[in-house]
Amino acid sequence: MSYMIRKAEKGDLPRIYEIYETARQFMRENGNHAQWGAGDRPEELLEDDISQGNLYVLEDAVADEAIIHAVFAFIEGEDPVYLKIEQGSWMVDTEYAAVHRVASDGTVRNVLEKIMDYCKAQIPHLRIDTHEDNKVMQHVLEKYGFVRCGIVYVPDGSPRIAYELLEKSE
């Protein structure tokens, strides 16, 4: 099946909310009870992400209707969360893009690979973070080639494991 990535639109929000609920349930079933809990709701940021052109969806086309299977924020430029890193350091301090709020409906294999292939085609230096209990995400990030760099803190003050990916040309 063929997949494409495009910028999200407000009309996509009902499906995107479903995807986040599915991802939240998957995290709970896999021992990640803290991420995206009561105080950490990525859904509250989605409309702003859309209006700034930073929210993307991965979809396939079935018959005449496209079905959204994943969502993520892709933000080029300095990210305030990544200004301070503890228990390590960033590999380089060059222009990068951050990937946040990755969620999937669980029906497509290698979603993170598809998302990261798209992102690194836009800018070859990527940063991402994940919750310490999100073992599935840690595994797929490291499998893709991301390097664990240290600990960053999201706006609510909770720690996240920070990862970085550099194309060999840098």
Side-chain angles (χ1 to χ4, degrees):
M1 195 167 286
S2 178
Y3 298 95
M4 65 175 263
I5 290 177
R6 65 169 173 81
K7 288 191 177 191
E9 302 168 356
K10 285 192 178 190
D12 298 326
L13 284 171
R15 175 65 180 145
I16 291 170
Y17 291 144
E18 290 174 8
I19 290 170
Y20 275 105
E21 189 51 42
T22 299
R24 184 177 280 110
Q25 183 178 344
F26 176 82
M27 285 190 283
R28 302 295 175 273
E29 291 169 358
N30 286 277
N32 184 1
H33 298 278
Q35 189 176 4
W36 294 356
D40 184 12
R41 302 207 36 93
E43 295 91 339
E44 294 174 1
L45 303 171
L46 299 178
E47 284 192 44
D48 191 46
D49 284 340
I50 290 171
S51 69
Q52 293 186 35
N54 295 332
L55 195 68
Y56 292 78
V57 295
L58 179 139
E59 66 184 8
D60 67 11
V62 176
D64 294 327
E65 184 180 334
I67 299 172
I68 297 171
H69 293 286
V71 61
F72 64 99
F74 177 67
I75 305 165
E76 292 187 49
E78 188 173 87
D79 186 321
V81 169
Y82 298 148
L83 292 176
K84 182 178 179 187
I85 186 168
E86 297 179 356
Q87 300 175 35
S89 64
W90 296 115
M91 295 185 290
V92 296
D93 190 26
T94 59
E95 182 180 338
Y96 65 91
V99 180
H100 291 294
R101 298 181 278 291
V102 176
S104 166
D105 67 3
T107 63
V108 175
R109 294 184 54 79
N110 301 316
V111 165
L112 188 81
E113 180 180 342
K114 291 170 179 47
I115 289 170
M116 293 306 166
D117 285 351
Y118 172 85
C119 293
K120 77 177 184 181
Q122 313 309 307
I123 183 168
H125 182 191
L126 302 174
R127 292 181 179 171
I128 191 170
D129 61 85
T130 192
H131 195 279
E132 67 180 327
D133 292 337
N134 197 339
K135 303 299 185 197
V136 172
M137 180 63 95
Q138 291 171 43
H139 172 75
V140 294
L141 287 172
E142 291 169 11
K143 180 179 174 187
Y144 190 80
F146 277 85
V147 175
R148 189 178 189 151
C149 291
I151 303 296
V152 295
Y153 294 86
V154 295
D156 73 0
S158 61
R160 295 290 186 269
I161 301 169
Y163 287 88
E164 190 166 35
L165 179 75
L166 297 170
E167 283 296 288
K168 295 192 184 349
S169 64
E170 284 199 9

